[in-house]
Amino acid sequence: MYAPPDSPADERRMTAAHHRAAGRLDVTVTGPASWGWNGRTLGRRAHHREHGDCWLRLDSAPAARRPDDLWEGTHAAWTALPGVPQPRLYAVDESRAGGTLYRAELAAHLDSPVCSAFPVLRTHLELPDRWWASLRDSLTLVQTAPTRRRTVRRQWLDDAFPRFLGLPAPRHAEFTGCHGDLHWSNLTRRGPVLLDWEAYGTAPRGYDAALLLAYSLLVPRTAARVRAELAQLLDTPAGRIARLTAAAELLQNASHGDHPELVPRLIEFAAEAGAPAARPAAS
């Protein structure tokens, strides 16, 4: 969970839009506000007379540039991946107010807590063998399901590898389906259920596993478990490309101020995969 928007006006705007969406979807909001990255999304627990406890999540974007790649990821994943544990999607509501578009998604509320309140893991997690087996099954299903959506684009690789890793982009990278934002606050302790599918699409094979490993680097004991449990995705030539992709992405994010505490570990992580010149670039 992140902080509210820096601007009080944006916080009021999002709160009001969330309230309007709740009215249109006929739910009563019952829980505290849960803000997403940069205050772009707002989620709250709610109650629907037919579905019971739900989660109402609101996304926003300037009307001039509707972000289809992120806008429709949850619905696309719910439709394409029936075998993957994810919150049931009940309804979608799109609206416009002034120069802003809003998309509200009403999904089932889950009783199981997430593994971490923040994407970067800071304390060791003891998770049972069956948890890891279920995660491997889910990632296999996601990788094998066809989709035309894009999470990581070839053009981004061409720019990010030399800029953040000091390496040319790989000539041959196999792209497969991915969750697109696999970190510890998007995984529940029971299941696991995979949350927040807005970035669902394609990326280099093994990208989800590599991203989860990168977000674990501050806790070596858990990182070692990730490496062991997801070795079939990480310890391959494709897995090396995926690890470099995850390192480049998080180094890019760090250049914008996100998770700077990860940078030293990311540089080591990238060097292990063959990028001794890895560094965060200036924004």
Side-chain angles (χ1 to χ4, degrees):
M1 186 170 66
Y2 294 87
D6 292 335
S7 165
D10 283 339
E11 182 176 358
R12 291 192 298 270
R13 173 182 58 79
M14 288 288 289
T15 301
H18 192 279
H19 179 74
R20 293 192 298 270
R24 286 191 295 271
L25 293 172
D26 197 22
V27 296
T28 302
V29 174
T30 61
S34 177
W35 292 95
W37 181 75
N38 276 356
R40 189 175 62 83
T41 64
L42 171 58
R44 296 183 68 181
R45 188 170 182 169
H47 186 81
H48 188 275
R49 63 174 180 269
E50 179 182 349
H51 305 309
D53 287 340
C54 297
W55 185 256
L56 180 60
R57 181 179 185 272
L58 181 79
D59 202 346
S60 65
R65 46 186 178 89
R66 186 177 188 271
D68 289 331
D69 284 351
L70 296 178
W71 208 247
E72 298 169 354
T74 300
H75 183 268
W78 176 250
T79 302
L81 303 168
V84 176
Q86 55 185 300
R88 181 174 181 179
L89 182 63
Y90 292 123
V92 173
D93 175 77
E94 290 195 15
S95 62
R96 174 173 178 165
T100 304
L101 295 174
Y102 298 98
R103 181 181 174 93
E105 295 170 340
L106 186 67
H109 182 270
L110 303 177
D111 291 330
S112 176
V114 293
C115 290
S116 169
F118 298 97
V120 178
L121 191 67
R122 299 184 181 279
T123 58
H124 176 62
L125 283 171
E126 283 290 352
L127 298 166
D129 292 346
R130 64 180 179 276
W131 190 97
W132 292 102
S134 177
L135 179 62
R136 286 194 298 270
D137 289 345
S138 291
L139 296 185
T140 297
L141 288 171
V142 174
Q143 283 194 156
T144 55
T147 177
R148 294 184 179 181
R149 293 173 51 81
R150 298 289 180 264
T151 300
V152 175
R153 297 178 181 272
R154 178 76 227 188
Q155 298 94 313
W156 181 87
L157 293 178
D158 292 340
D159 174 73
F161 267 58
R163 185 179 179 198
F164 296 101
L165 304 177
L167 291 174
R171 283 190 175 185
H172 305 291
E174 180 186 3
F175 284 72
T176 64
C178 71
H179 172 278
D181 193 21
L182 196 69
H183 53 65
W184 293 105
S185 57
N186 279 341
L187 291 166
T188 63
R189 286 179 176 268
R190 292 198 296 271
V193 179
L194 282 65
L195 310 177
D196 289 353
W197 287 84
E198 64 177 15
Y200 168 62
T202 57
R205 176 179 289 276
Y207 171 78
D208 282 336
L211 200 59
L212 188 64
L213 175 56
Y215 276 116
S216 310
L217 293 175
L218 296 184
V219 188
R221 188 176 168 195
T222 304
R225 184 75 188 270
V226 176
R227 288 179 187 270
E229 296 289 349
L230 303 181
Q232 62 185 7
L233 297 171
L234 295 167
D235 295 342
T236 65
R240 173 182 173 271
I241 293 173
R243 284 180 279 134
L244 289 170
T245 301
E249 178 176 337
L250 295 190
L251 285 169
Q252 181 184 52
N253 292 349
S255 74
H256 299 148
D258 292 341
H259 312 306
E261 70 279 10
L262 266 183
V263 169
R265 300 295 178 89
L266 288 170
I267 291 173
E268 296 172 359
F269 179 59
E272 290 173 2
R279 66 219 180 264
S283 59

